[in-house]
Amino acid sequence: MSFTVRRARTTDVRGIQGLIEPLVNRRILLGKELVVLFEDVQEFRVAELDDGRLIGCGALHVMWEDLGEVRTLAVDEEFLGSGVGHALLERIEEDARELGLSRLFCLTFETEFFGRHGFEPIDDVVTPEVYAELVRSQDDGVAEFLDLSRVKQNTLGNTRMLKHL
């Protein structure tokens, strides 16, 4: 099987939605409206088969001057264990370094996967001063990161993990 990881395009957004929808239904990922996926398309990378079929996606969201979050990492169930998630995460890490980030955060149920890639469970990631700035964001992903009650129903059981780049 041959696939390529590339920057997402607007024509990929419906395919991205199709990849994440089953995980949203199982309450593993936060749901995103189609308009939000279009707004955030520049954050996404996709894994694509030679025939154009999308088999995975993942996003890098910058949270602070040194901190980014791996978001919406999803692989088509048919391709789990075939290196797609690894390739996407590797590309996201490359993008993070290119942006000058030194830390990557994720909130995940897939602790073994992220652990194999150098992420470690953590409690606090930012100083109280940075927390005070981030709490102003209306982004649900930032709310997850900060452990705010308005997203609790989606984050029960998730583990906060961090990797130093």
Side-chain angles (χ1 to χ4, degrees), residues 86-106:
H86 170 80
L88 285 162
L89 185 55
E90 191 172 80
R91 175 64 183 271
I92 289 168
E93 288 181 15
E94 288 173 21
D95 293 344
R97 285 184 185 93
E98 186 177 305
L99 287 167
L101 301 177
S102 59
R103 301 181 299 156
L104 272 183
F105 165 82
C106 68

Side-chain angles (χ1 to χ4, degrees), residues 82-160:
S82 64
V84 174
H86 170 80
L88 285 162
L89 185 55
E90 191 172 80
R91 175 64 183 271
I92 289 168
E93 288 181 15
E94 288 173 21
D95 293 344
R97 285 184 185 93
E98 186 177 305
L99 287 167
L101 301 177
S102 59
R103 301 181 299 156
L104 272 183
F105 165 82
C106 68
L107 184 62
T108 186
F109 290 105
E110 301 297 334
T111 56
E112 288 183 31
F113 171 81
F114 282 98
R116 286 192 309 270
H117 291 89
F119 285 75
E120 296 180 357
I122 49 105
D123 290 319
D124 296 321
V125 180
V126 296
T127 65
E129 294 80 19
V130 173
Y131 181 95
E133 291 293 327
L134 291 175
V135 79
R136 296 177 183 177
S137 174
Q138 295 301 307
D139 184 280
D140 280 344
V142 173
E144 277 186 294
F145 170 75
L146 298 176
D147 201 25
L148 301 180
S149 60
R150 69 182 166 97
V151 294
K152 277 293 190 194
Q153 68 277 7
N154 297 305
T155 62
L156 294 176
N158 282 5
T159 301
R160 288 169 161 58

Side-chain angles (χ1 to χ4, degrees), residues 20 23-31 72-74 109 154:
I20 66 175
L23 299 172
V24 171
N25 292 339
R26 293 186 359 228
R27 301 182 71 96
I28 293 171
L29 291 178
L30 278 179
T72 321
L73 187 61
F109 290 105
N154 297 305

